[in-house]
Amino acid sequence: MKDSNVNGTLQIARTQEMIYELRVQQAMTKQVITVEPENTMADVSRVLGENRHSGMPVMKGEEMVGIVSVEDLVRSFREGNSSQPVKQWMSKNVTTLYADEPLVHAVQKFERHGYGRFPVIDRKTKRLVGILTKVDIIRCLLQHLEIDFQDLEIRRYIPREWFSELDCDRATLSLRYHIDGANFEKAGEVSSKLKRNLQTLGLAPDVVRRIAIASFEAELNLVIFTEGGELAARVEPGRVTVTVVDNGPGIPDVELAMQPGYSTAPDWVRELGFGAGMGLPNIKNCTNELKLESKVGEGTKLQFTVFT
Amino acid sequence: MKLREIIETLQATIVVNSHDQEMAVELACGSDLMSDVLSRLKPDALLLTGLITPQSVYTAEMADVRVVCYVRGKKPEAETVRLAEERGLVLLSTTLPMYESCGRLYRKGLKGVSET
C-alpha cells in the first residue's frame, strides 16, 4: 500500500512536470472545423451540432477574423434570428495560443479566461494551425502518462539488484531455446520469447531492443540455412551474451558473409522478405562484441555480447 | 502524426486495433525487406510493408514498432493477426501501393528514419 501511495504522488508530480515539458502543438487537434463570416448562424448551429463542438474559428480565406461559440449562438437566437451572418455575432477579439508554447501557458489561459477553446497559431506565419480544448490537454497528458508508466513498469525490476541479493560471488542467469531449421512459420518465436524475458528482467528498453534484433537475425539464419540449433542467452551483471550454435552446413567465407548486401539466400527466402545480406551486418551493428566461428560441414557458432 | 491521421491519409482499414487512435507516430519506414527495416528502424515508427507473414509482426516487435500498415490491398494471414493481437500491435491495410502510401504520409509531414 505504501508503494502505491508513493507512485500516486509521483504520478501527480509527473503531470505537473509534463505540462511544462509538452508543447501546445503536441496536444492540439490539427484538423480545425471553421466557418466563414458570411455564413449564417443557422449554419453555425448545424456545424457545431454535427461535430459536437461548442465553438469554432471564423475564417476569411487564410485569415482568422473571429471565433463563434454556443454562447453567441444562444444570444443570436434570443436577440436576433438564425439567418443573420456569423460576423454580426462572433467575438472579434480572439485570444490565441502559439503552437510552440508550453502546455502550462494554455492551462493558465483556460483558468484566466474561462473559454472552452483556443485557436492555435504559428508564431512566425501567424496562420491558424490547430485548436486546443481542455479535453485535448487531458488526452495528451494521459497518453504521456501511459508511456511513462510503461517505462516505469519495465524498469521496476533491476536485475543487478536481485542478482546482488543472491548470496554468491557472481550470479549468472541462462536462458536456452531450441530453434527448428526450415520452419519459417515459427521463425521469430524464440527471439520474441527472449525479448519478453529480458523485459521482465528489467533491462533497459534500448538494450533489450538491440539484443532482440540481433537474436532475430541469428534465429532467421538458422531457420533459412541450417537444420536448426540452439540459442542461449547468458545474463550477468553488466552484460548479456547470446550464443547461437548449429550443426551445419557452415559458412565457407566468414569475411564475405559479414559484408553488407552479400547473400547466398535462395529465392523463396527473399520472397519472404529476408535474405538481403543484412543479417550479420545488422547483428554487428546492434552488439558490442561479436565472434563468429564456422567450419564447412561441421557448423557455426555465433556469439555476441551487449553491455547493459 | 496521430494514428488517426495516418488512417485517414491512407484511407486504411483497421485489421487489429490495440491502441488509441490519438497515439503519436513519430516516423515511418517502407520496405518489404525485413533486415533493411531492422537495420534502420527506430522505436515508435510506422512500418509500411507488403510482407504479410508472421515475420512482419516479429520484425515490428523486435524493433519496438507499434503500427504496421500493409500496402497494395494485402490482408495479413490469420497467424499474423493472432500474433499482433497478442503483442498489442496495430495492423492496418491500405489499397494504395507502397510509393503512394509513403508519398502521401511524407507530404503530410511524417518524417523518415534519416531525418529523426
Side-chain angles (χ1 to χ4, degrees):
Chain A
M1 279 312 282
K2 205 179 170 186
D3 275 343
S4 69
N5 278 339
V6 169
N7 280 341
T9 322
L10 267 179
Q11 296 271 301
I12 291 164
R14 183 70 193 113
T15 317
Q16 282 166 341
E17 232 173 77
M18 270 182 190
I19 61 171
Y20 285 92
E21 286 168 7
L22 293 166
R23 307 273 151 184
V24 167
Q25 60 205 7
Q26 286 171 277
M28 69 184 187
T29 300
K30 282 179 191 143
Q31 275 174 340
V32 189
I33 293 159
T34 60
V35 279
E36 288 168 20
E38 307 303 331
N39 284 124
T40 64
M41 291 309 275
D43 294 332
V44 171
S45 170
R46 182 178 49 76
V47 175
L48 289 182
E50 277 170 6
N51 294 289
R52 294 176 156 268
H53 284 184
S54 58
M56 57 187 160
V58 183
M59 301 292 290
K60 193 174 181 181
E62 295 278 326
E63 191 197 351
M64 183 169 52
V65 292
I67 192 159
V68 64
S69 67
V70 168
E71 290 81 37
D72 300 321
L73 192 65
V74 171
R75 212 158 42 84
S76 77
F77 285 174
R78 199 174 53 220
E79 298 168 19
N81 68 66
S82 63
S83 62
Q84 286 170 330
V86 172
K87 61 182 177 188
Q88 199 176 324
W89 295 98
M90 68 184 187
S91 313
K92 285 180 188 131
N93 288 329
V94 187
T95 312
T96 57
L97 290 164
Y98 287 124
D100 58 0
E101 272 187 275
L103 215 45
V104 66
H105 287 184
V107 173
Q108 286 162 353
K109 273 194 175 168
F110 273 113
E111 275 175 21
R112 202 183 312 140
H113 297 278
Y115 297 151
R117 73 217 59 77
F118 288 104
V120 181
I121 58 172
D122 184 273
R123 194 181 287 274
K124 278 187 200 144
T125 63
K126 308 284 185 230
R127 290 268 168 84
L128 182 74
V129 290
I131 194 151
L132 187 77
T133 64
K134 286 180 192 169
V135 174
D136 290 325
I137 296 179
I138 292 166
R139 190 184 285 139
C140 178
L141 288 177
L142 282 176
Q143 264 170 23
H144 282 83
L145 269 179
E146 192 189 355
I147 294 166
D148 269 18
F149 185 67
Q150 280 171 359
D151 289 349
L152 193 72
E153 286 229 304
I154 290 166
R155 271 191 244 114
R156 191 169 286 163
Y157 306 98
I158 301 168
R160 271 194 306 272
E161 283 180 6
W162 65 262
F163 271 126
S164 66
E165 282 169 16
L166 298 170
D167 190 10
C168 63
D169 294 329
R170 188 181 179 87
T172 307
L173 177 75
S174 181
L175 303 161
R176 286 177 179 273
Y177 305 89
H178 178 77
I179 297 170
D180 292 338
N183 186 351
F184 216 86
E185 184 94 322
K186 285 190 164 182
E189 203 178 85
V190 163
S191 306
S192 175
K193 284 180 191 166
L194 175 63
K195 182 175 184 183
R196 273 176 283 170
N197 283 334
L198 295 176
Q199 280 171 335
T200 310
L201 287 176
L203 292 167
D206 172 60
V207 167
V208 174
R209 185 173 184 268
R210 283 162 56 210
I211 298 166
I213 290 175
S215 302
F216 186 42
E217 291 284 11
E219 182 181 354
L220 282 160
N221 280 345
L222 256 62
V223 173
I224 295 167
F225 296 108
T226 77
E227 299 284 310
E230 196 173 71
L231 183 149
R234 198 173 71 231
V235 186
E236 53 196 321
R239 55 168 58 205
V240 176
T241 305
V242 177
T243 310
V244 190
V245 181
D246 65 63
N247 298 318
I251 304 167
D253 190 336
V254 170
E255 213 173 294
L256 199 58
M258 288 301 297
Q259 279 179 20
Y262 177 80
S263 175
T264 55
D267 283 346
W268 67 268
V269 171
R270 290 171 195 262
E271 278 161 26
L272 288 166
F274 292 89
M278 290 306 294
L280 287 169
N282 268 358
I283 296 175
K284 198 177 174 198
N285 283 340
C286 286
T287 55
N288 296 102
E289 287 171 6
L290 173 71
K291 215 164 71 183
L292 181 61
E293 293 163 13
S294 190
K295 267 197 182 148
V296 174
E298 283 182 27
T300 303
K301 180 181 167 187
L302 170 74
Q303 192 171 69
F304 56 83
T305 301
V306 174
F307 300 148
T308 56
Chain B
M1 187 180 271
K2 287 179 179 169
L3 178 58
R4 176 174 47 79
E5 295 172 84
I6 290 170
I7 294 168
E8 281 165 13
T9 307
L10 299 177
Q11 291 158 349
T13 51
I14 302 166
V15 184
V16 176
N17 184 14
S18 313
H19 277 281
D20 181 359
Q21 291 196 9
E22 299 302 313
M23 177 177 102
V25 176
E26 303 299 337
L27 71 156
C29 167
S31 181
D32 290 349
L33 287 170
M34 292 301 112
S35 285
D36 278 358
V37 170
L38 286 170
S39 71
R40 312 216 55 194
L41 206 51
K42 295 171 183 173
D44 298 327
L46 160 72
L47 169 61
L48 292 144
T49 184
L51 187 78
I52 52 170
T53 60
Q55 279 69 40
S56 60
V57 167
Y58 282 131
T59 299
E61 184 189 9
M62 297 312 146
D64 289 334
V65 164
R66 287 184 289 174
V67 189
V68 180
C69 181
Y70 300 104
V71 297
R72 303 190 289 275
K74 291 194 177 184
K75 292 272 189 286
E77 297 168 6
E79 176 67 3
T80 309
V81 171
R82 192 188 65 78
L83 287 172
E85 282 171 348
E86 208 175 85
R87 284 157 180 76
L89 297 186
V90 176
L91 297 189
L92 307 174
S93 175
T94 176
T95 52
L96 295 172
M98 177 70 94
Y99 180 72
E100 282 167 49
S101 303
C102 296
R104 287 192 187 195
L105 291 172
Y106 196 79
R107 194 166 56 192
K108 290 231 166 160
L110 188 61
K111 296 236 170 7
V113 278
S114 71
E115 299 169 312
T116 48

